[in-house]
Every structure is written in structure tokens, then in C-alpha cells.
Amino acid sequence: LNASLKRWGEGTRLRSLTRRDIEDARDEWIQEVGPNTVLKRLNALSRVYKLAKREGWVAYNPADAAAVDRPRQRRPQMDWFTPEEFNELLGRIEAHQAKPGGKITTRRRVLLWCRVLVATGLRRSEFLKPPDSAWNLQKCSVFVAHGKTDSRDIPFPESLVPALQELQAIQGQIAPPSPRAFDKAWQTWKKLLAEPRLHPHAFRHTYGTTMAAHGIDVVSIAKLMGHTRIEITMRYLHATRRGMSLRAASGVMSWSAMSAWFTSRRSAR
């Protein structure tokens, strides 16, 4: 909102601005920032006018969507890793040398976090939240209680258990020690490796993409990932368009969630 109003300076009266003024501002902003940011500024300005109109301070809303055309919103790029990229990433983290006198604990944590996130598809908030009691290492599943949508039980392969046990030994628990430490570690390693995709949600996308490449149906993927709309899950079908075949996906991670998911389905019958 401040960025929206800054253009006209202090002391400018809302009632003095016209539709033409808003359109000129929109055209200038498009040259400076992306369409998504322009859209946010226009919507914020429109909300101010709606409040002012409700109080009787202005007669109409010149920033209303019906009055001013909005720029086309650009969908953010969905970051994910192909099998080769993921394995290469792990190798780069493993090979990175610690600074003299530095600790390798953070490096090991990040390696383990990558493996857990890509094998479970957990959101950042879901990985930070569950206590160790939510992780059933015998049945190889994690229970996400009251996630972003509904609660769900996510199976994972037995080969992931050693990584979870190592996290318990390093951190005293499976979940990261704190949100701040978790986020700081990702930012640090993103800069060290110059890898902009190195963030938790990229591994969630990789999880969904790999399942789609394995031919798992969209409804099942949506349930495992906790999606409320099937349209969101449909994005993961782009994997085949980028050449991520079933054979390639199999090389991703022998410990990926696919085999565990099918095993759990068969045992449930």
C-alpha cells in the first residue's frame, strides 16, 4: 500500500485521483516491477477506496477492477528437480568442504532434510510441526495432524528410516530445532551452491512430479499431498512433457515414496 501511495506524495487527497491517474500509475509500475506486484498494489489501493467510500469520504472507487484493467497475473515458476539434478545436488552438498574450524553438522542436516522432504512431500510448516510421536518408524509413515488442509497419513520407504534415526541423533528430534535455524540453513546453502531452487517447497514439487511420472493417479497424489483442488495437482503431470519417464524417475531415489505407497495399498486390501 505504501508503494502504491508513494507515487502521488504526501497530502494527496483520495478524491482528487481519477481513473486516468490510476491507469498512468499502473503503466509506470509495469515498467518497474512484475505484473503480480502491480496487481497487489492495485488491489490494495482499491481496498482503501472501498473503505473511504463506505465512510462517505469519496464518491466512487477509481481503482476498482471494473474501472481499471488489471495486468495478467503470471503464475510463479514451479521449482523441482529431475532425478539427475537431485542426485547431483546431494553430491554437491556432500562434497562441499567446511571452512577451517567449521562444523559439518549443518551440511549433514541439510542432506538429511533433502531426503526426508523429497520422500514425504511435506510442506515446510508440516515438517517443522510434528513431534517424534507422529513418525512411526515401524510402520514407515508420518501422521500430519491438521495440516494446511485435512489430517493425513503419509507412507515412506523403509530405507528412509536410517536417515530419520540420524536426525534424531543429531538434533535430538526428527523435526528441525527451530524455524529460524531451518530457514537460515537453506539460505546459507542456497548461496554456497548458487542453487536458487534449494528450498523446501522444491522438494515437495519433486515428490509430486516423481509420483506423476510413476503413473500414480492424480486423485491419490492430491490426497497424499493434501491438496484441496485437483487443478493444483494437475501441474505435476508436466513431468512427462519434460521427459521424466518412469525409467528415469526410478533412478531418482530408490528410497522414494512410490514403492511404499503401493505396498501400503496392497496390504490394505
Side-chain angles (χ1 to χ4, degrees), residues 122-123 125-127 129-131 134 142-154 225-226:
L122 291 172
R123 298 181 177 91
S125 58
E126 294 170 345
F127 185 40
K129 187 166 52 176
V142 56
F143 180 70
V144 180
H146 310 295
K148 192 174 180 180
T149 53
D150 295 329
S151 301
R152 65 191 194 280
D153 203 39
I154 305 173
M225 299 191 73

Side-chain angles (χ1 to χ4, degrees), residues 3 25-42 71-72 74:
R26 176 202 59 196
D27 295 339
E28 287 183 17
W29 291 335
I30 288 177
Q31 303 302 318
E32 301 169 0
V33 295
N36 291 358
T37 302
V38 175
L39 190 62
K40 288 179 181 178
R41 290 182 181 181
L42 289 173
R72 190 174 212 172
R74 186 170 54 203

Side-chain angles (χ1 to χ4, degrees), residues 10 26 42 53 69 95 124 126 136 141 146 154 162 168-169 172 177 181 193 209 226 250 264 267-268:
E10 295 182 8
R26 176 202 59 196
L42 289 173
K53 186 178 179 182
D69 292 334
R124 170 190 173 276
E126 294 170 345
N136 191 324
S141 66
H146 310 295
I154 305 173
Q168 285 179 318
L193 301 180
T209 299
S250 306
S264 65
S267 60

Side-chain angles (χ1 to χ4, degrees), residues 150-204:
D150 295 329
S151 301
R152 65 191 194 280
D153 203 39
I154 305 173
F156 56 79
E158 188 177 350
S159 52
L160 189 66
V161 172
L164 296 171
Q165 292 173 332
E166 187 174 349
L167 276 176
Q168 285 179 318
I170 294 175
Q171 303 177 154
Q173 59 184 25
I174 292 176
S178 70
R180 183 177 180 181
F182 185 68
D183 294 338
K184 184 178 179 181
W186 290 117
Q187 291 299 326
T188 299
W189 281 92
K190 185 186 293 187
K191 292 179 181 178
L192 285 175
L193 301 180
E195 176 51 78
R197 293 176 297 170
L198 190 56
H199 57 86
H201 221 67
F203 299 113
R204 175 173 166 80

